[in-house]
Amino acid sequence: MDRLRSHYSIEVNEEDYEKNIFLAGWIEDIRNIGSIAFIIIRDRMGTFQITVLKKNDPDIFEKLVTISRESVISVYGLCKRSDKARNGYEIIPKDIEILSIAKTPLPLGVVDKVESDLDTRLDNRFIDLRKKEIQAIFKIRNSIIQAVHEYLRSEKFVEVHTPNIIASSSEGGTDVFKLKYFEKEAFLAQSPQLYKQSLMATGLDRVYEIAWYFRAEEHNTSRHLNESTAVDVEMAFINSEEEVMKILEKLVYKMWEKAKENKIELEVLNKEIHLPSFPFKRITYDNAIDELNNENINIKWGEDLGSDEEKALGKIMKKEGHDFYFITKYPIEAKPFYTMYDNKYSRGFDLECNGVELASGSQRIHDVEMLEKRIKDCNLSLKGFDFYLKAFRYGIPPHGGFGFGIERFLMELLDIKNIRECILFPRDRTRLVP
Ligand code: AMO
């Protein structure tokens, strides 16, 4: 039975009928009606029925009806067409091997109708992930990431990997995790911002990264994680942030389009995906404030939109037929130190979907004196930025980019209410395990 161990998931089809095949997986259900037993095994492709007659093989029958649910077995047997089996075929076993016995009781049911609370599910994530509707989220996540690689590479972006252990805070703010790096103090990167910008001084003038963000934000919300992932892009030789926005909106469109190809997973999740209208609407910060004022929501000019204001604007945009929209021309004080500006307006933008921020980006300051001034004006110390500023002193083209949250995107795509559902092992204010 050695071959059973090298089993790789197969999709049974008509060609397999009346042939001996190998299958392996987790036991989902056992129905023993005395003389005959039906065992459902599951792998990542779906479920298969094993039908065993007691009189044909009392040994295999005994093994299969006494084994605990969620144990792992492999089976060798005849594949037969069956009208009664749920996917149209069954396997009559000739040999089975028990690969791993599951302890009882299970900490969490896999096919039980009772909903467990999110904490129990996340505490037992390895079992939670056996559920097909949970796996579907991560299969869709996999395919949207594939779309990222396909689209950005087709636009001649080079994938890079920048450090996550760094010597200064990437976004200039607080919310940074400190750690001991031998004799020195280090930080976990809040984003690849400083590195992707430095790369613009190298000639690798279009880069992207599937990045990890580490943020010590205290708030425990349904839209924030302390460790999240993003698509980070940086591109040089741009005339304005509009060129960056064009790449971002096309990327979002391609990811959405790719997600639609996951027909089985979308059916499992009972979700329909409609392509967004394209190109996305652009609304300036000033106009957004006016629209909000008309609804009696007042914001002081210069302040960033809070989540309530974002939601209200989302509703206004929805009424006008826009799920996706860019908010452009933010005041400089609402954007980070590296953002290019003209007088009091920055060249920064956010991409919003139904009142949730999915991405933000900008054209960057590439003049080193202007950049140093902004760092000082933002009350940040120049000291931590030595390596970053050095890259601006020896020739760096105008450039810009964005950071685009992958979990936030999945929430919007699949209408998932809690961001923790969109990452395998979430890190939040209280969760560090598993
Ligand atoms: P920003 O801080 O806006 O910009 O982050 C970019 C996008 O990343 C996602 N995101 C998060 N998702 C979940 N939990 C979090 N705590 C979290 N923080 C951020 C959001 C957000 O829109 N360096 C800039 C980007 C750039 O200008 O290139 C940046 O990090 O979807």
Side-chain angles (χ1 to χ4, degrees), residues 84-344:
K84 294 205 187 80
R86 51 174 115 158
N87 36 12
Y89 57 85
E90 61 188 0
I91 288 156
I92 314 294
K94 292 191 169 156
D95 200 359
I96 70 156
E97 190 179 354
I98 294 166
L99 303 175
S100 169
I101 299 264
K103 220 177 117 181
T104 55
L106 293 166
L108 186 70
V110 177
V111 282
D112 299 2
K113 293 279 170 281
V114 237
E115 271 284 305
S116 306
D117 63 88
L118 186 59
D119 268 332
T120 311
R121 288 181 36 217
L122 292 177
D123 285 344
N124 299 284
R125 192 60 155 163
F126 68 99
I127 293 194
D128 191 42
L129 281 158
R130 292 182 189 180
K131 298 177 193 158
K132 59 180 189 233
E133 64 277 17
I134 307 297
Q135 271 187 19
I137 299 172
F138 292 95
K139 287 178 181 169
I140 294 173
R141 184 180 162 119
N142 173 59
S143 81
I144 60 160
I145 299 289
Q146 187 189 339
V148 172
H149 293 300
E150 283 169 4
Y151 172 62
L152 291 176
R153 286 174 186 194
S154 79
E155 291 285 348
K156 305 284 179 263
F157 285 85
V158 171
E159 185 182 9
V160 294
H161 303 95
T162 62
N164 279 321
I165 304 176
I166 61 176
S168 52
S169 136
S170 0
E171 296 297 325
T174 45
D175 300 344
V176 58
F177 285 111
K178 284 188 188 149
L179 62 109
K180 208 169 139 333
Y181 189 73
F182 305 108
E183 298 76 28
K184 293 188 184 125
E185 182 178 64
F187 305 100
L188 288 180
Q190 292 156 303
S191 82
Q193 186 66 34
L194 306 183
Y195 286 89
K196 65 177 185 174
Q197 276 197 266
S198 308
L199 287 173
M200 293 303 100
T202 64
L204 285 172
D205 55 12
R206 285 191 151 205
V207 298
Y208 76 100
E209 178 165 6
I210 308 287
W212 283 102
Y213 287 9
F214 300 94
R215 300 199 176 182
E217 287 159 358
E218 294 280 344
H219 41 266
N220 216 0
T221 79
S222 58
R223 294 186 300 133
H224 288 87
L225 291 164
N226 293 100
E227 185 183 42
S228 62
T229 60
V231 183
D232 261 83
V233 157
E234 203 65 23
M235 54 199 274
F237 301 106
I238 59 164
N239 294 300
S240 77
E241 69 277 26
E242 178 59 32
E243 283 153 77
V244 180
M245 285 153 61
K246 283 209 165 77
I247 293 284
L248 174 55
E249 68 185 335
K250 192 81 184 281
L251 173 69
V252 170
Y253 193 83
K254 292 277 180 190
M255 288 163 79
W256 209 269
E257 200 173 49
K258 189 67 150 189
K260 258 180 92 94
E261 291 175 14
N262 295 271
K263 294 210 168 57
I264 297 172
E265 287 71 26
L266 290 170
E267 207 181 300
V268 164
L269 291 168
N270 198 16
K271 295 268 143 70
E272 261 183 59
I273 289 183
H274 302 287
L275 284 174
S277 56
F278 185 85
F280 302 157
K281 179 172 171 76
R282 275 87 167 132
I283 177 170
T284 62
Y285 171 88
D286 286 356
N287 285 344
I289 300 271
D290 288 346
E291 294 256 20
L292 287 168
N293 281 342
N294 292 342
E295 304 273 322
N296 290 326
I297 300 163
N298 297 313
I299 300 164
K300 216 171 111 217
W301 195 92
E303 275 174 14
D304 202 356
L305 304 186
S307 62
D308 290 343
E309 289 94 25
E310 276 186 301
K311 274 194 199 119
L313 185 64
K315 285 195 185 130
I316 299 169
M317 291 292 114
K318 182 94 185 164
K319 268 195 220 147
E320 294 177 17
H322 306 289
D323 288 327
F324 285 95
Y325 47 94
F326 284 105
I327 307 174
T328 62
K329 306 219 180 318
Y330 273 90
I332 28 176
E333 46 272 65
K335 285 286 157 195
F337 68 89
Y338 46 78
T339 313
M340 178 69 109
Y341 58 94
D342 303 313
N343 301 318
K344 58 180 191 167

Side-chain angles (χ1 to χ4, degrees), residues 16-35:
D16 298 304
Y17 290 155
E18 303 307 324
K19 285 190 190 142
N20 287 321
I21 61 167
F22 287 93
L23 284 180
W26 285 259
I27 293 191
E28 192 169 284
D29 194 27
I30 303 165
R31 225 159 25 98
N32 175 5
I33 52 171
S35 55

